[in-house]
Amino acid sequence: MNQTILEAENLCKFWGGLKALNELNIQFKDKQLHSIVGPNGAGKSTLLNTLCGAYPATSGVILYHGKPITHLKGYEFCREGIGRSFQKTNIFHNATCLENCCIAAQQRIGGSFNLFRKRSKNRQITEIARKALQQVGLTARADTRATEVSYGEQRQLEIAMVLATSPKVLLLDEPMAGMGHEESQTIISLLKELKQQYCIVLVEHDMDAVFELSDLMTVMVDGQHLITDTVDNIRNNPLVQDAYLGNDDEVF
Amino acid sequence: MSIFSSKSEKIFIYLFFAIGLFIPLFLEGNTFYINKFSTIIILSIFVMSLDYLVGRTGLITLGHAMFYGLGGYIFTILAPEYEAVNFWVYTFYVMLISGFIALIVGLIVLRTSGIYMIMITLALAQMTFYFFADSVEYGGLDGLFVYIKPETSIFGLSFLDLDNETHFYYLCLLSLFNCFVFFKVIMNSSFGRVIDALKENPDRAIALGYNIFHFRLIAYVLSSSLAAYAGYLFALQFGFVNPSMMSWDISATALVMALLGGLGSVFGAIIGSFMYEGLHYYIEHLTEYWMFFMGVLIIALVLTLKHGIAGFLNALGGKRS
Amino acid sequence: MQNILEVHGLQTLYGESHILHGVSFDIKSGETVSIMGRNGMGKSTTLKSILGIAPPRSGSVIYKGEDITRLPTWKRMRRDIAYVPEGRGMFHNLTVKEHLQIAARKNSRGDANWTYDQVLEVFPRLTERLTNKGTQLSGGEQQMLAIGRALLTNPDLLILDEATEGLAPLIRKEIWQVIRQIKDSGVSTIIVDKNIKVLNELCEKHILIVKGKVMFQGDSRSLDDNKAFIEQSLAV
Amino acid sequence: MDTSLFLVQLLNGVQYGLLLFLIASGLTLVFGVMGILNLAHGSMYMIGAYLAYYFTTLTDSFLLAFLISGTMALVIGIIIERFLIIHLYKRDHLDQVLLTVGLIFIFNATQSFVWGNDPLGVEVPELLSGSIKLTDIVEYPVYRLFISLLCLLVAATMYFTINKTRLGMMIRAGESDRAMVENLGVDISKLFTIVFAIGVFLASLAGIVSAPIVSLVPGMGEHVLISCFVVVVIGGLGSIKGAFVAALIVGIVDTYASVLVPQASSMSIYLLMALILLAKPQGLFKN
Amino acid sequence: ADSDPIKVGVMLPFSGVYAGLGESTRNGLKQALKEQGNSIAGRPVEFIEMDTEAKPARAPEITSSLVDNQKADFVIGPVHSGVAMGMIKTIKGKDSIMIIPNAGANAATGAFCQPNVFRTSFSSWQTAFPMGKEAYDMGYKKIVTMSWNYGFGKESLEAFNESFTKAGGEVIKEMLVPFPKTEFQSYLTEIASINPDAVFVFFAGGGAVKFVKDYDAMGLKGKIPLLGSGFLTEGTTTAQGPAAEGVITTLHYADALDIPKNQRFRQDYETLYGKPADLFAVQGYDAGQLIAQAVSATGGNTTDKAALIQQMEKLEIDSPRGAFHFSKAHNPIQTIYLRKVVDGQNTVVKVAQDHLEDPARGCKL
Ligand SMILES: Nc1ncnc2c1ncn2[C@@H]1O[C@H](COP(=O)(O)OP(=O)(O)OP(=O)(O)O)[C@@H](O)[C@H]1O
Ligand SMILES: Nc1ncnc2c1ncn2[C@@H]1O[C@H](COP(=O)(O)OP(=O)(O)OP(=O)(O)O)[C@@H](O)[C@H]1O
Ligand SMILES: [Mg+2]
Ligand SMILES: [Mg+2]
């Protein structure tokens, strides 16, 4: 059995009176793709944001390799190896795609406080960055400024940046949103490959992709854990169909 | 490999320093012009440090003159009244102490951002202003005098006589050059990469694992101590410091110069300072209502140039940074 | 039937880059039209050109028989067009309630088919979030709000750019339901979306844009006839 | 300090705070709500005061002067927005700094050219020139109380308009996303012109009504500018309520500081601002 | 050569708060030289005008421009004490003569006095010192003093304090207002609560206007007499209106001073510039007279500055304020008048102190 890498115990996140996460318990295992689905506003993004340290948890514990990391600062999560992509594209628009990935890679490699070493001199960083671009299929766009690539390509870049931080856990928030069919396919095959090495947490509304990729699925509703199970069980679970999927295919 | 980010920048810098080197030969004896150039060069250093902070780091301050003034005051207060101290040693002291102050100030002001940071820097600068303006021992609003200028020997060898305007001019020019190279080098460094990133999208930089506070703090300290260095040179040039060096309109004027030059371009700071001061000097001699024409000119420039004069030159040169 | 919108030879550029190369099509009153195409082909740009957000260099836009090519955006909107942009266009300093209040108005004929309460009925989720700021909503909630806001202007022509992006399947279905409802009420609609299957069912007319050119337009039947070509263009 | 004195000082503080609010109100609107950084705000205050002086001397009626100057201010506001500011919405905020610094220069030069450099004063209008006896020795000028009343009126109107009316929502929405407001069928550029003009009007209004209790001197605009920013920022950008509360706090703190800790009174409001921003980096009422 | 122009640099504020003072000073200066037909001993006079903007930080640079670049024989300026300090520093040891037409900082002709620096105006000390004794003689025993917290103000309060306490009075409270704050309500309330015999203040320009009006509006004027250093009512009475009536001050000049020289001067000034003369015009005028008389005395020779300075030290200037000559420290030894505002004009009540010399503390000349 794969070992649990990241887990949340009684995790809560309140926005004023709103319980975006309510006593959530969940475990993520190594070399597995674990997807989280649920209606809009269920708290999926909030969960990812809390797991990666962007929001401080209201209460509860986050365990990473068994040790609590809840108290860490936002930027320290990434250093531990928890990388995340954003639901709303969040990249450095004025930099080239390659440079975007270099920024991500440099954090890992270090030397960021070196005032005098020319940034382009660091081969290792550039290599990691190129590799990440290549993985998501953006090699051709390496030297294009990020604003100038299309929306779908920006989504790909978003993932490449996470990869460039050499994470152990990948938290992906709707990576496929806004992507065309072909791009989605690229990402799907990429994720298939990545889940051999990483622990991946995927939030996504594209059910085809989710069903195809997931080893485990969790359904969340109103900040609460509804069910965690395999794809097939979930698909046929009447509760889930009620709360999230609806009865049949996307026709009326 | 070149440190320049555009052809125009390269041409400008070569031309500027070439002319700068030889200009005293043509001004033989006219100490006023030499002095005037030194003053503007000192100002350029100050504006450059601000330009880096605002344009590169994205940290906008209206209290930068605080360090300009502190640079002067630190020296004036520290140096014994009737004894020539060593210039280099005191350069070190001034930058070290102002750097330390900047560290403390930075720890406070960098907790805020945007307009709030503008205001809190302004508040601290005004408080420092009033501290010196109300103080009895530091000369109050009338300021302090520097009675004896430092000597500049290194290991007993002395090349520069600070009482000599031309020598002082070269010291300023050299300082500006070093300052320019320094900023260009850190801009192109690994550190500069992070700075660029966190200016554009700080949230993403955090998500990538950077403690952006540390980077901002370093940038703030560097920029502030260079501003202090400029203030130190000012004090040396005129032998005089005054709280008005710290007043907010000096910060604002410097910001205007940086903007005119083209924010974030570093070499634009030189252009901005020379242009503003040049125009000011020229128009002031034409009319008592110089402010009117200065205002019209500034407005015309904002409306026609998008990224200041440096941006205009870069566009002419046809290469983007 | 009358054309509500005619688009002739739109040429649109962003700075130097030429995006639209002569886009032309027309929409009949009450018709629901899809615009398809891969990422970056110029779908959104087409919509923006129609609305004057990305003014075309040449070409014309005729709306209800009137040439509106030179009108400022707001005047076009006043002629009962509503737009849900990609990215949703939330206001960070307005509450959900205010988003709706600010938009609500009668159309130019003085009708108000959609009211504040009706919109909340369609999106009950929003009812719970009325005092939240627009940007504090979850992705999907923002999308609902954007659509609700557009409906409250009681448009004759509704333009939806990726309106179902980021919505949960159940909600997506609801949205399609709503769009059908809108369609039934006689409002013309332009939809940009990824879900070909639904579009096929819902729309009377389909427009395929490839690299800034209209490569296909026709009804659902002819869409089926050209299935191979279309799928290739969409890389399905 | 005995109680009656304490209360009179409180009245001073409140009265000063209200005046500060009036001066800052235009800035709250233009900067806080619309997001335009208008450094020439102080200059408009100055111009308002000088116009009031000019027209009171000309017409011998403060009311008439008030009306004429107010209208002129609106016109000036429209002109500035239509011909200058309008080019800068898509640009960096800092370009607005540059432009409005240019305006400061122009206004200052104009002031000095038209009205000269000697300090000038305006008489308090006859009707409001009396005093009210507060304690046996302290009297309070009626005109100051009148100003306070006016400030309250402005504050209430602004609060209501910005927060409760559709117009106010549109203005706020415009600050957040101009293009989207236009997408809703609103003539946003006209709206912004009007709001900017009102901002300028409010600045001048403050200048006009304070003309009788201040001295008109060159550069009077720059002095108030910083206080205005302090008020707007302490309150939290975009919050009318915040600006109002902040103005009162600043007024009261400044008043008590000048009697209780005179040595530090010059720093008091800056210290206050620094402390507030440290505790609440977004100001008091930023939501 | 002897027909070369005599260069007179003018360093005054022509913009900002002090611009009005700069203008008057310049007018007076020009009037004096016009009376000489704009030429002295056959040499024309050339003016080089620079705006100091009253910014001390710019002072050294502008001075250097006049002294080093333009080689001005005389530099007239400034109005503002902070600027004066910067100027003195720069002009020290240079071959130009500085004539201060206003700035009152005691140190300018005290601790920092220089052979080539003269002052035609006053020291802060001079303008306030005589009031101490006068106030006591008027029967005030307990007084509150108040001014802006800056050099000129503080020096004035000190000088007043010095003579007032010596006479036997007591300053029960000293209030310093941050410069340039003009919100006085809280201070006035406090004064009212202390209820002293009288109040002595130093304010000038716009602040003076505001203070006097507020003082009146608070109803204090009828109850607690207001005394001041003369600047309280100099060039400000029109703006102050009726509020200024009855305010008592000391100064080395008064508009209504009834001596022929003053009447002639004021008449000429009015015809030349179309507005009434003021103190600053007088001081500028005397700077002009000083130059004219000194250069005439050396027969037009301005190269030998030492000789010129010697002449200047010996001169007796026939000023509209009454004749004066210079002390060793180059500050005028002059008469100080006790004045009272009557019908919007400063009228002379009496001579407060005849031929008052500044103690020039710290000057080694
Ligand atoms: N900053 C915030 N302030 C207040 N409430 C917030 C904030 N961010 C999110 N919320 C609320 O928390 C709830 C959960 O939001 P979250 O973004 O986690 O949903 P989600 O599951 O990701 O939904 P979606 O699928 O639509 O993206 C929502 O109801 C949202 O309105
Ligand atoms: N503001 C802009 N400046 C420059 N280029 C732009 C801009 N907006 C879009 N583009 C470019 O124009 C092209 C068309 O963009 P558009 O947004 O119309 O595509 P789309 O068909 O809507 O794609 P998607 O499905 O990804 O939204 C893309 O190549 C994009 O990179
Ligand atoms: Mg989400
Ligand atoms: Mg699109």
Side-chain angles (χ1 to χ4, degrees), chain A residues 141 147-152 178, chain C residues 14 17 19 37-46 48 86 161-162 192 194:
Chain A
R141 293 299 221 169
T147 24
E148 288 162 16
V149 306
S150 85
Y151 185 60
Chain C
Y14 288 121
S17 51
I19 307 296
R38 292 175 55 187
N39 287 129
M41 288 303 170
K43 302 183 295 290
S44 303
T45 308
T46 304
K48 287 182 189 161
E86 51 183 0
D161 197 352
E162 315 253 4
V192 172
K194 295 276 142 60

Side-chain angles (χ1 to χ4, degrees), chain B residues 169-207:
Chain B
Y169 168 83
Y170 280 116
L171 175 71
C172 295
L173 192 69
L174 178 74
S175 304
L176 178 65
F177 181 74
N178 287 340
C179 212
F180 172 77
V181 173
F182 175 76
F183 278 125
K184 287 309 276 192
V185 166
I186 62 171
M187 274 160 62
N188 285 313
S189 71
S190 305
F191 174 78
R193 168 181 277 159
V194 184
I195 291 290
D196 288 351
L198 65 82
K199 170 178 184 218
E200 199 189 323
N201 188 343
D203 290 337
R204 185 67 202 223
I206 295 172

Side-chain angles (χ1 to χ4, degrees), chain B residues 30 32 36 146 238 288 290, chain E residues 26 51 60-61 65 69 89:
Chain B
N30 192 333
F32 167 71
K36 180 86 191 167
V146 176
F238 295 115
E288 197 177 303
W290 62 271
Chain E
R26 178 181 57 187
D51 183 2
E61 185 197 327
S65 153
N69 186 31
K89 175 70 195 169

Side-chain angles (χ1 to χ4, degrees), chain A residues 44-46 87 173-174 203 205, chain C residues 138-140:
Chain A
K44 305 178 296 293
S45 300
T46 306
Q87 179 168 4
D173 199 355
E174 304 199 26
V203 171
H205 289 299
Chain C
S138 85

Side-chain angles (χ1 to χ4, degrees), chain C residues 195-214:
Chain C
N195 195 328
I196 305 159
K197 220 155 64 185
V198 180
L199 292 180
N200 196 355
E201 185 128 344
L202 188 71
C203 302
E204 283 96 29
K205 179 168 184 169
H206 306 274
I207 295 164
L208 174 70
I209 294 187
V210 178
K211 297 217 168 118
K213 293 199 181 84
V214 175

